[in-house]
Structure formats: C-alpha cells, structure tokens
Amino acid sequence: QVQLVESGGGLVQAGGSLRLSCAASGGTLSNYAMGWFRQAPGKEREYQAAISQNGENTYSADSVKGRFTISRDNAKNTVYLQMNSLKPEDTAVYYCAAARTTYGANVYRTKSMYGDWGQGTQVTVSS
C-alpha cells in the first residue's frame, strides 16, 4: 500500500493553468501505474488522465485532451498533472490514484483498477 498526497490546487481564472502534484510515500511509485480523477459536487468521480508504470504510455479523457498532461518522476516518487486552458467546468476535487502492476506499459482508465487514493485537492476555476 502506498500513501498519496495531492497538492497544487487552488483558485484560478478561466484560461489559466495549474500543476497538480501527487507525492507518494510508503512505497516505490515505479511499481504503480498512476491516474488522476476528479469529482465535482453531485457528480461521480471521473477519470481524467493516466500514465503507465514505465511512463511510456499516457491517456487522457476526451474532455481534457490537449489541455491536461500527466507525467511522472519516479526518482522523486511524484506524479504531476499539468492543466492548461482551464474552464469553469474543470472545477472539482482532483484525486490521484495508484494501481500496483507488473505490466509496465499498461494504462488504466477505470476506478476499480486503482487500489490506493489520495485525499484530493480542490481546483476552482472562475469565469
């Protein structure tokens, strides 16, 4: 089990950028595929982006493709989500999640594949 802590959220105007970080402890992040999800009030938690264990493969949801980029630095045990051209509809609590895997190239897009979750960081985009 790995502990995850998100940071970098905040209030930003529409069109602005934020970079979220997810720091892992209690485990080696290089053993995990990682994902970012978000949950808006009254809505289900939704997949946004994912990256494979080896960092070679990434995948983004259609709603954020071209605006959000996931990356990882296994040496720092940290995963990032760079968010550009933010829109008010991006307002949500953002969670990172870890999926332990031995398949280095796999990318996971469903919540059920992830066993460890952070507490979330709030992102608010004003119009």
Side-chain angles (χ1 to χ4, degrees), residues 3 34-35 39 48 57 88 96 112:
Q3 288 75 50
M34 299 297 294
Q39 187 167 16
Q48 298 303 300
N57 297 314
C96 71
S112 61

Side-chain angles (χ1 to χ4, degrees), residues 15-34:
S17 298
L18 284 174
R19 188 175 83 153
L20 305 184
S21 299
C22 173
S25 62
T28 303
L29 207 60
S30 59
N31 292 328
Y32 297 84
M34 299 297 294

Side-chain angles (χ1 to χ4, degrees), residues 47-69:
Y47 157 81
Q48 298 303 300
I51 188 166
S52 59
Q53 180 190 30
N54 60 16
E56 291 181 358
N57 297 314
T58 62
Y59 196 87
S60 299
D62 288 343
S63 60
V64 303
K65 198 163 291 184
R67 300 189 299 122
F68 291 9
T69 302

